[in-house]
Amino acid sequence: MEPSHALSAPTAALAPCRHFLQFRDLNAEELTYLFGRTRLIKEKFKRYQPHHILADRTLVMIFEKASTRTRLSFEAGMHQLGGAAIYLNTRDSQLGRGEPVEDAGEVISRMCDLVMIRTYEQAIIERFASRSRVPVINGLTNEFHPCQVLADIYTWVERRGSVAGITVAWIGDGNNMANTWAQAAEQLGFMLHLSSPGGYGIKASVAGVSGRALRHFDDPMEAARGAHLVSTDVWTSMGFESEGAARKEAFAAWRVDADMMAVADRNALFMHCLPAHRGEEVSAEVIDGAQSVVWDEAENRLHVQKALMEFLLLGRLN
Ligand code: CP
Ligand code: NVA
């Protein structure tokens, strides 16, 4: 499955293309393949061995929200694959002036090989993808952040091996990260303990899960008890800033601190997608402590996304 630029010709039949809009867009077997490729690509990078497998390919990155890691990892990643990346944001493009998403999908996808979008509602990226001739990757929506969870699970795999059968505790907001972890739990066969303040939990219908891999806890300490991996995220995600004060109050007991890590498995890891607010969702002691792998998570965005772009454009290579 190798899309060519010729597909942009108006009369060419559209080849089916794979998107990565939600975590469940990749099945367990494909995820295992992807993690294997990630390891190889990361090792080559560490040895300064070129991996220009996407030479002459162009990635367009569309940002409607701020980013440090996502922009950097996609842009540097595409460069490391031998291709080029173009950054567009709502402010400086027609996207911010009301051009229909479907029209943008038609136009942008005729000029590049791959698109990454960070936006608000999941429906926006779905509409774009419905008209795109090239693979579209979700770089974060209100509902999902699949590239981050790919990197997080790869980070676990790198340190501990398979996630099958482990227990992951999600402490805090039922946000895009929580929904994505819920999909990952179903895809990869681990248990997800969730604890959120009342009214802030995930909804299975939004997360797109059956709920068979989820257990809900009112008390965050109980959610963390025995967990092999404890993860959290900001109390107020991008786009929800007007709720910030109310959330600070509601989430006060949902802080991952040393007491909480003490009830988790003794070898438990701590993860956070970053950016973090020390003293809010996590104590400095935990995020800067020995169980924290937050810098590895950030670094692994680079490599897992290179494996993802390679897979979406070239399919399986071994
Ligand atoms: N974790 C993450 O996606 O970070 P950015 O918002 O900096 O891209
Ligand atoms: N849940 C956070 C993640 C940021 C990377 C947000 O959406 O703002």
Side-chain angles (χ1 to χ4, degrees):
M1 182 193 67
E2 187 165 348
S4 76
H5 296 297
L7 285 176
S8 301
T11 49
L14 284 182
C17 71
R18 291 288 296 271
H19 302 299
F20 187 56
L21 306 181
Q22 315 188 14
F23 196 88
R24 67 173 185 207
D25 288 343
L26 293 175
N27 65 34
E29 198 241 324
E30 290 166 337
L31 289 163
T32 303
Y33 165 78
L34 208 71
F35 295 143
R37 286 301 288 181
T38 303
R39 188 182 299 273
L40 178 123
I41 288 169
K42 183 173 179 178
E43 279 168 9
K44 285 182 79 174
F45 177 78
K46 298 282 179 187
R47 291 198 298 263
Y48 291 97
Q49 283 178 348
H51 186 69
H52 291 168
I53 202 157
L54 297 186
D56 296 329
R57 305 298 182 114
T58 308
L59 165 72
V60 168
M61 308 180 296
I62 303 169
F63 283 89
E64 294 211 77
K65 293 176 177 171
S67 167
T68 297
R69 280 145 287 266
T70 302
R71 176 177 178 181
L72 188 55
S73 54
F74 270 105
E75 193 163 337
M78 198 56 184
H79 180 73
Q80 289 159 21
L81 293 173
I86 296 172
Y87 172 81
L88 289 180
N89 66 32
T90 317
R91 214 174 39 251
D92 312 329
S93 67
Q94 300 291 3
L95 292 162
R97 299 182 61 251
E99 181 164 20
V101 176
E102 289 78 4
D103 293 5
E106 285 283 352
V107 172
I108 291 169
S109 72
R110 287 177 185 226
M111 299 192 195
C112 66
D113 302 279
L114 204 54
V115 178
M116 190 244 52
I117 304 180
R118 168 168 287 197
T119 186
Y120 292 88
E121 291 80 24
Q122 182 72 11
I124 297 174
I125 198 170
E126 305 272 354
R127 283 166 55 203
F128 187 103
S130 75
R131 298 289 285 271
S132 176
R133 292 165 180 244
V134 301
V136 178
I137 298 172
N138 182 345
L140 182 146
T141 57
N142 290 350
E143 290 86 350
F144 298 112
H145 196 3
C147 292
Q148 182 67 52
V149 175
L150 273 186
D152 293 356
I153 293 178
Y154 179 71
T155 301
W156 175 274
V157 168
E158 201 173 39
R159 294 212 169 220
R160 300 276 196 270
S162 171
V163 286
I166 72 164
T167 297
V168 176
W170 179 264
I171 309 296
D173 196 15
N175 62 11
N176 41 15
M177 284 295 298
N179 288 335
T180 310
W181 272 108
Q183 287 199 354
E186 290 197 353
Q187 291 291 87
L188 292 171
F190 59 88
M191 252 340 263
L192 184 66
H193 287 186
L194 292 151
S195 182
S196 309
Y200 293 103
I202 76 164
K203 293 180 186 65
S205 58
V206 175
V209 292
S210 69
R212 69 175 186 274
L214 311 182
R215 246 187 104 183
H216 298 269
F217 295 81
D218 293 334
D219 180 353
M221 291 296 270
E222 290 313 307
R225 194 173 299 283
H228 304 99
L229 166 55
V230 179
S231 192
T232 188
D233 189 9
V234 291
W235 290 341
T236 303
S237 286
M238 291 181 280
F240 297 85
E241 288 80 2
S242 63
E243 302 173 13
R247 284 171 169 267
K248 253 188 185 167
E249 212 165 290
F251 281 78
W254 275 263
R255 173 175 304 121
V256 180
D257 58 13
D259 290 344
M260 193 176 287
M261 290 306 291
V263 301
D265 184 81
R266 54 189 287 273
N267 293 316
L269 297 180
F270 171 76
M271 291 194 186
H272 190 309
C273 65
L274 306 176
H277 297 87
R278 288 169 177 77
E280 291 191 15
E281 74 275 6
V282 61
S283 68
E285 191 183 5
V286 168
I287 196 169
D288 299 319
Q291 289 169 284
S292 171
V293 291
V294 297
W295 314 128
D296 286 2
E297 290 174 76
E299 178 181 349
N300 284 334
R301 290 288 302 276
L302 176 65
H303 303 297
V304 84
Q305 289 164 189
K306 281 187 281 184
L308 175 68
M309 292 192 283
E310 182 193 87
F311 177 72
L312 292 176
L313 284 178
L314 305 180
R316 288 186 73 125
L317 301 175
N318 58 33

